[in-house]
């Protein structure tokens, strides 16, 4: 096995181990976190997610239009940010008008995430994989 192959295998083992170790951590959080809390810098947190999404969209568009294979990476990261934003929109909104707005935002973010996943998994020009 090559050095790169061994590193990849160890990275995958680390990821699998992390998934297993996160299960008891989630149980601890479920049992110990308060149901309510006061959050400082609330607007900064939300704006930060939107900044990340905007930067991801811009980077993906620029790289993709240039035919750069790294657009697939930025598309993947942007999809993740869009899903996170939708999750927090839905889970932090109170019932009523704010939740309706959050559902609308989540639908838009799901569409963005779907487009990004499509781009991340798509082939390059003339049917060949996008890679350099």
């Amino acid at each position: 096995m090559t050095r790169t192959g061994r590193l990849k295998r160890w990275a995958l083992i680390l990821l699998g181990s992390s998934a297993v170790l996160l299960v008891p951590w989630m149980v601890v959080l479920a049992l110990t976190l308060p149901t309510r809390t006061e959050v400082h810098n609330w607007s900064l947190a939300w704006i930060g997610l939107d900044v990340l999404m905007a930067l991801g969209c811009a980077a993906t568009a620029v790289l993709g239009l240039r035919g750069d294979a790294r657009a697939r990476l930025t598309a993947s990261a942007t999809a993740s940010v869009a899903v996170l934003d939708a999750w927090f929109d839905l889970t932090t909104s109170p019932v009523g008008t704010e939740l309706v707005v959050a559902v609308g935002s989540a639908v838009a973010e799901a569409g963005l995430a779907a487009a990004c996943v499509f781009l991340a998994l798509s082939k390059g020009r003339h049917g060949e994989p996008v890679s350099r």
Side-chain angles (χ1 to χ4, degrees):
M1 183 180 282
T2 67
R3 177 177 164 82
T4 302
R6 283 191 304 273
L7 287 174
K8 183 176 180 180
R9 179 172 167 72
W10 278 108
L12 293 170
I13 290 169
L14 177 64
L15 286 173
S17 301
S18 297
V20 171
L21 292 172
L22 279 167
V23 173
W25 176 244
M26 288 182 276
V27 171
V28 168
L29 291 176
L31 296 173
T32 61
L33 283 176
T35 57
R36 293 181 164 274
T37 188
E38 183 178 329
V39 179
H40 301 282
N41 301 317
W42 182 255
S43 60
L44 179 62
W46 284 106
I47 292 166
L49 280 173
D50 289 334
V51 166
L52 285 173
M53 249 192 313
L55 290 173
C57 289
T60 301
V62 168
L63 291 170
L65 290 170
R66 290 181 178 174
D68 191 321
R70 293 174 294 181
R72 295 171 72 183
L73 298 174
T74 58
S76 178
T78 304
S80 298
V81 172
V83 169
L84 282 172
D85 197 322
W87 171 260
F88 284 106
D89 282 343
L90 294 172
T91 59
T92 61
S93 294
V95 177
T97 305
E98 288 185 44
L99 183 57
V100 172
V101 171
V103 168
S105 294
V107 168
E109 289 155 351
L112 173 64
C116 286
V117 168
F118 170 77
L119 291 170
L121 298 175
S122 67
K123 302 284 184 180
R125 294 184 184 127
H126 310 298
E128 71 271 4
V130 178
S131 62
R132 289 188 177 203

